[in-house]
Amino acid sequence: MATALKSVKSLVPLLDRILVQRVKAEAKTASGIYLPESSVKELNEAKVLAVGPGAVDKEGKRIAMSVQAGDRVLIPQYGGSPVKVGEEEYSLFRDHELLAKIQE
């Protein structure tokens, strides 16, 4: 999905959606050898950039989100809604689609 957005800051997720950016895998080994792009796998780790206000339950109360902007999370290999801003690629996931929150 191509968008005409100039900045990712102008993108605000709605309801229980979370905007994330995948962490890029290292293209260099511990011994200093550079790997070609074809051999570097995508990681399932992402950084949370923006979080919606949360879903609404049957009584009309907001359900709190499980992550905040700045958190690191594990995301599924496939899924989410891709969003491209300039040359950067981002994904929108629902709160319940995230696999885990990485504690540091």
Side-chain angles (χ1 to χ4, degrees):
M1 175 175 115
T3 59
L5 297 173
K6 293 185 170 97
S7 170
V8 72
K9 302 253 184 220
S10 62
L11 194 60
V12 180
L14 299 176
L15 297 174
D16 63 339
R17 289 178 179 83
I18 299 166
L19 180 68
V20 299
Q21 183 176 27
R22 282 189 188 270
V23 174
K24 293 184 174 40
E26 285 290 323
K28 185 177 175 183
T29 64
S31 60
I33 298 171
Y34 286 95
L35 301 171
E37 278 188 38
S38 60
S39 67
V40 178
K41 291 185 177 180
E42 274 193 351
L43 295 177
N44 286 6
E45 184 179 329
K47 181 178 180 185
V48 176
L49 300 176
V51 178
V56 180
D57 65 7
K58 292 179 183 177
E59 287 89 40
K61 296 178 185 172
R62 286 264 178 219
I63 300 170
M65 299 294 280
S66 59
V67 295
Q68 299 175 2
D71 287 345
R72 289 179 32 223
V73 295
L74 288 179
I75 56 175
Q77 185 70 28
Y78 302 102
S81 300
V83 178
K84 192 167 185 179
V85 179
E87 293 299 315
E88 295 290 325
E89 291 188 19
Y90 304 95
S91 296
L92 278 168
F93 286 93
R94 289 193 177 269
D95 190 34
H96 69 274
E97 293 176 331
L98 298 180
L99 303 177
K101 180 177 172 182
I102 300 172
Q103 302 269 344
E104 293 189 42

